Amino acid sequence: MYTETYQNLHRQQKALEVLETLLAEEFAELRERKPESITAIEFSIHELMRQIANERTALKNTMGGQRLADVLQILADEEQAELNGLLKRIDALEKRCSRQASMNAELALALHDQSQSLLSHLQNQIQPRNHATYGKTGAYTQSRPEAVLIHGRL
């Protein structure tokens, strides 16, 4: 029981270390605005998250649905200390990954908002203006500000 639990937690710790590295790399790519490499990193992050979830499910199944804290009570003091140390490192890694993911999401949303406002500005600039002018009958002409490909009457 101890060996399987230790190996599973160790794999989770190493996976979270890789996740932290990938998130830092994603942040760097976001800052440099390289969408192609960000997409590749995102796929890697999603696959790694799937593997971590599978590890946690396997650990839960190994313990027969019991909580890890309850299982730790059965083990020897040395084994408990070692597993508690692993759990503390995993917890610290999860918190750092969470903070980095929040920063990545915030930067991605800021870049999206900036791109969206730039696109709206460009669309407003190329859209024809509504100029109120007199027509041949002496009244204001009605113009259509939207672009039209075909203009005709029935």
Side-chain angles (χ1 to χ4, degrees):
M1 172 79 102
Y2 165 76
T3 306
E4 291 176 23
T5 305
Y6 177 81
Q7 289 174 348
N8 188 296
L9 291 175
H10 185 69
R11 284 192 301 270
Q12 286 184 40
Q13 177 191 356
K14 293 301 179 184
L16 286 168
E17 288 172 359
V18 172
L19 179 63
E20 184 179 26
T21 305
L22 285 173
L23 288 169
E25 188 177 332
E26 180 187 29
F27 186 74
E29 298 296 327
L30 278 168
R31 288 179 54 179
E32 294 177 15
R33 297 180 183 167
K34 295 182 179 177
E36 296 83 19
S37 56
I38 292 171
T39 304
I41 293 170
E42 275 294 318
F43 282 124
S44 300
I45 289 172
H46 286 286
E47 177 62 24
L48 187 57
M49 292 294 292
R50 186 189 64 77
Q51 291 174 3
I52 291 171
N54 287 343
E55 285 293 330
R56 291 191 176 179
T57 304
L59 180 63
K60 188 183 241 184
N61 292 338
T62 300
M63 289 191 268
Q66 294 179 355
R67 295 185 56 225
L68 186 57
D70 298 335
V71 174
L72 284 178
Q73 303 299 324
I74 301 169
L75 302 174
D77 290 338
E78 305 164 345
E79 294 172 343
Q80 282 182 15
E82 202 165 336
L83 289 179
N84 280 329
L86 262 175
L87 287 172
K88 286 179 183 175
R89 288 191 295 271
I90 287 173
D91 187 45
L93 279 166
E94 283 178 348
K95 288 178 183 176
R96 289 197 310 256
C97 287
S98 175
R99 280 192 296 271
Q100 185 65 50
S102 295
M103 288 174 29
N104 290 2
E106 191 175 314
L107 181 57
L109 288 174
L111 290 172
H112 175 266
D113 290 345
Q114 182 184 31
S115 297
Q116 194 66 33
S117 66
L118 178 62
L119 182 61
S120 296
H121 174 71
L122 290 175
Q123 285 177 342
N124 288 338
Q125 292 299 313
I126 62 172
Q127 192 173 24
R129 302 286 183 260
N130 185 9
H131 297 289
T133 58
Y134 288 106
K136 61 183 174 186
T137 61
Y140 280 118
T141 60
Q142 291 193 359
S143 62
R144 293 193 173 142
E146 70 275 353
V148 236
L149 293 177
I150 300 174
H151 180 51
R153 296 182 187 178
L154 292 176

